[in-house]
Amino acid sequence: MEEMIAGTTAAQVPQQRGQSLLETAVRYAEERHWDVFPGTWLESAAGAQRCSCGDASCPAPGAHPARPDWAAQATGSASAARRMWQQQPTASILLPTGLTFDAVSVPESAGFLALARMERMALTLGPVTLAPDRRMQFFVLPGAAAKIPGVVRKLGWSPASLDLVALGEGNYVAAPPTRFGSRGAVQWACRPTPANRWLPDAEELVPPLAYACGRDRLDR
């Protein structure tokens, strides 16, 4: 498995390279062929950083869509991405799901447990993000959102009993190095590499993810 961190919450997530948001957004579109769109950004106010949306209690400051028609903004063109981030260089980088990939979102503790289990099973992973809201997103082939409930039921779980969320059409994930206010930045738990350009099917990853979410629920 490529550049994966150890399966424990004490593991150190690899540090991100010091590239600007603009350069990174362009790279995602150009090298990974991912659609990208700019989200909100952080602004300094009274010595603190607040979300550009103006909501003082914003749950994801600087890391959510800036406008309701965000889906229409998404582009896979590197030149279009460059133009958008030139207009607002500090805008967060958001990736719509349901196009080139879906994502399976689980709590951080379950995600690390699942990563260790996947390594033992020698499963091939796609990219995996770790966000400051203590959730991990596993990138999988599109169509996962429709498949996962059925797969979870076959494993003997009720989908409502597990904190395992499929993100498909109409959803998005925040991409590194987007920041969530003062809570830190999104990082790669498993980086995008040439080896994981071809994404796994959700059916391959859901069994260890469901097991980890079940264990995580029992440990609480």
Side-chain angles (χ1 to χ4, degrees), residues 69-210:
D69 64 340
W70 60 265
Q73 278 190 292
T75 179
S77 163
S79 58
R82 184 177 298 279
R83 286 195 298 272
M84 287 193 289
W85 267 271
Q86 283 175 338
Q87 293 174 14
Q88 182 49 253
T90 58
S92 53
I93 302 174
L94 305 180
L95 310 175
T97 51
L99 298 174
T100 51
F101 65 87
D102 280 3
V104 184
S105 176
V106 299
E108 174 188 296
S109 50
F112 278 113
L113 177 61
L115 284 174
R117 191 173 179 85
M118 290 172 184
E119 185 172 26
R120 291 194 297 272
M121 297 169 67
L123 290 180
T124 300
L125 282 181
V128 182
T129 62
L130 172 59
D133 61 359
R134 302 186 69 81
R135 295 194 69 84
M136 297 176 80
Q137 286 78 32
F138 290 72
F139 289 23
V140 294
L141 288 171
K147 291 181 180 179
I148 286 176
V151 175
V152 170
R153 289 190 189 95
K154 286 181 181 178
L155 293 169
W157 294 95
S158 163
S161 70
L162 298 179
D163 190 0
L164 185 156
V165 181
L167 302 175
E169 187 176 356
N171 294 298
Y172 63 90
V173 297
T178 294
R179 297 192 65 82
F180 277 57
S182 60
R183 291 149 64 187
V186 183
Q187 301 190 57
W188 290 115
C190 184
R191 291 178 181 276
T193 69
N196 64 21
R197 182 175 294 278
W198 303 107
L199 299 175
D201 193 286
E203 293 175 338
E204 301 172 53
L205 302 191
V206 167
L209 285 171

